[in-house]
């Protein structure tokens, strides 16, 4: 210890070009996407609370110290609502993670490649399904082909500048992408996959999408 120099690579972060070089790297990133999906702002529960607060028509009561939720309950949401921003950012962070997984799928072991791609597309389709329902008009409210939806981003993003700003796609375009992702996920996923997404999971989510339309 007194004679050998300490020369260790940091574990907290690694260069982007070294992040997804092996199958285990990509599989680890996929687990990270599930982790992000389970955060409070997304499937940890918040998106389900928002829908109840937004859909309330005097059937429930709300009181609490979270001003952002109170604004949602009152249907008076300013652009500075931190909860709305939090879910938006967490959702796009999740989709960016799976975009990186899909982009690096070729390094995944062949026996696992379809499963990994299917799980990633399931996550992306599911997140966009909630995004378009939370941040855009419903499918049957006006014209889906012209109503603004949410931005569709299908490639990895590492740095965001003004030049990278993405316009909102239409509601119809977002639903088309959701259906494409979930349909492909259903065909790629196995029927059994421990507690991760399966072909049945993708089929069930597709059923919800079609029912919503």
């Amino acid at each position: 210890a007194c004679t050998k120099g300490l020369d260790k690579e940091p574990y907290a972060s690694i260069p982007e070009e070294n992040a997804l070089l092996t199958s285990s790297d990509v599989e680890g990133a996929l687990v990270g996407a599930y982790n992000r999906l389970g955060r409070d702002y997304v499937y940890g529960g918040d998106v389900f609370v928002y829908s109840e607060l937004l859909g309330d028509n005097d059937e429930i009561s709300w009181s609490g110290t979270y001003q952002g939720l109170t604004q949602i309950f009152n249907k008076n949401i300013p652009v500075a609502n931190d909860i709305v921003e939090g879910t938006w950012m967490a959702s796009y962070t999740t989709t960016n993670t799976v975009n990186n997984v899909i982009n690096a799928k070729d390094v995944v072991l062949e026996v696992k490649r379809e499963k990994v791609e299917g799980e990633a597309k399931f996550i992306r389709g599911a997140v966009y399904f909630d995004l378009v329902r939370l941040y855009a008009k419903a499918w049957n409210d006006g014209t889906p082909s012209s109503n603004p939806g949410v931005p569709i981003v299908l490639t990895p993003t590492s740095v965001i500048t003004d030049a990278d700003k993405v316009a909102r796609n239409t509601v119809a375009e977002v639903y088309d992408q959701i259906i494409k992702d979930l349909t492909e996920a259903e065909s790629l996923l196995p029927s059994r996959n421990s507690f991760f997404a399966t072909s049945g999971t993708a089929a069930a989510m597709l059923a919800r999408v079609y029912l919503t339309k």
Side-chain angles (χ1 to χ4, degrees), residues 51-178:
S51 61
E52 294 296 325
L53 297 178
L54 282 170
D56 168 58
N57 193 20
D58 296 327
E59 297 94 352
I60 63 174
S61 61
W62 160 259
S63 63
T65 58
Y66 290 96
Q67 186 63 27
L69 293 176
T70 300
Q71 292 166 352
I72 294 173
F73 179 70
N74 291 334
K75 319 296 188 294
N76 185 15
I77 308 171
V79 293
N81 184 295
D82 61 333
I83 291 176
V84 171
E85 179 185 359
T87 293
W88 179 273
M89 294 298 294
S91 297
Y92 275 100
T93 300
T94 302
T95 58
N96 191 50
T97 302
V98 295
N99 284 342
N100 276 281
V101 169
I102 295 168
N103 189 60
K105 67 181 181 180
D106 289 345
V107 305
V108 178
L109 295 174
E110 188 173 356
V111 69
K112 298 180 178 181
R113 192 173 300 153
E114 287 192 353
K115 180 179 75 71
V116 167
E117 182 182 357
E119 289 182 54
K121 289 186 174 180
F122 167 78
I123 291 172
R124 189 169 67 186
V127 171
Y128 272 119
F129 185 38
D130 281 301
L131 279 171
V132 76
R133 288 183 297 162
L134 280 172
Y135 296 92
K137 287 186 174 182
W139 179 266
N140 59 359
D141 182 1
T143 307
S145 60
S146 59
N147 282 343
V150 296
I152 298 174
V153 182
L154 305 179
T155 55
T157 302
S158 56
V159 178
I160 300 175
T161 67
D162 286 341
D164 297 315
K165 290 182 178 178
V166 180
R168 294 169 70 174
N169 291 82
T170 66
V171 169
E173 288 171 335
V174 178
Y175 270 89
D176 286 346
Q177 182 61 47
I178 293 165

